[in-house]
Amino acid sequence: MCKIIGPQFTAYLPVVMPPLLRAAQIKPEVALVDSDDQVEEDEGWEFVPLSDQQKFGVKTAGLEDKNTACQMLVCYARELKEGFAEYTEQVVKIMVPLLKFYFHDLIRSAAAESLPFLLESVKHKEMTMYETCGIIFVQSYLSPYRQKWSLIF
């Protein structure tokens, strides 16, 4: 809908954003079960064996909702540009930690894809917000390297 309506879609953001932000913040349900426990995977759970004795499970139903929400946030930021600026800070706080979300590749990809669009949405607003977002992004990208460097130096 956002792609079709274009910039006029910003009038609907106060209605669509609260549930969308909640969905993007869904925490995955996970479980650690013994291998001899009979667990039905058709209940929306996927299990991966960790050892002979244990399996790690993730409930996939919530992940699909989270993925859809993240994809929509990318679309809104891309299409609305500065019209999305009011929500940029909230979305940055959701998306940056998702760069390390290991349960779903598409969620991690959406988080990475959103970053340039989020920066673009605030570049014409106030410089402090643009700089803050840029610093957060750079820090999130460099954090794995910082850990390696601290071991070396």
Side-chain angles (χ1 to χ4, degrees):
M1 201 61 139
C2 175
K3 281 185 169 186
I4 295 169
I5 297 176
Q8 291 80 18
F9 189 79
T10 56
Y12 299 101
L13 287 178
V15 176
V16 299
M17 287 301 290
L20 193 60
L21 293 171
R22 279 193 301 275
Q25 294 178 71
I26 292 173
K27 302 284 186 221
E29 289 185 55
V30 295
L32 192 59
V33 296
D34 292 330
S35 292
D36 24 324
D37 290 346
Q38 296 298 324
V39 182
E40 293 185 28
E41 294 191 26
D42 61 347
E43 296 177 11
W45 286 82
E46 285 189 23
F47 289 89
V48 176
L50 290 178
S51 66
D52 291 339
Q53 294 94 16
Q54 292 185 321
K55 294 182 194 175
F56 179 78
V58 177
K59 191 166 190 175
T60 56
L63 292 180
E64 290 308 316
D65 292 341
K66 184 179 188 79
N67 177 46
T68 300
C70 290
Q71 297 295 335
M72 289 175 72
L73 290 171
V74 170
C75 177
Y76 292 172
R78 179 182 55 239
E79 299 298 323
L80 300 176
K81 296 180 182 20
E82 53 274 345
F84 193 72
E86 179 182 342
Y87 298 96
T88 299
E89 186 174 0
Q90 287 175 283
V91 175
V92 165
K93 289 178 180 176
I94 293 169
M95 292 300 214
V96 168
L98 293 179
L99 291 169
K100 298 176 185 174
F101 191 79
Y102 298 110
F103 299 117
H104 200 287
D105 291 340
L106 294 176
I107 293 172
R108 203 169 49 251
S109 294
E113 184 182 355
S114 72
L115 301 182
F117 301 124
L118 292 169
L119 268 177
E120 186 177 348
S121 73
V122 294
K123 78 177 182 185
H124 297 295
K125 295 294 179 190
E126 49 186 87
M127 189 52 122
T128 56
M129 179 58 152
Y130 184 72
E131 290 171 343
T132 302
C133 288
I135 290 168
I136 291 170
F137 298 159
V138 169
Q139 287 175 342
S140 68
Y141 281 124
L142 292 180
S143 67
Y145 299 109
R146 248 190 263 140
Q147 292 170 354
K148 290 179 184 177
W149 293 335
S150 67
L151 294 174
I152 295 171
F153 297 108

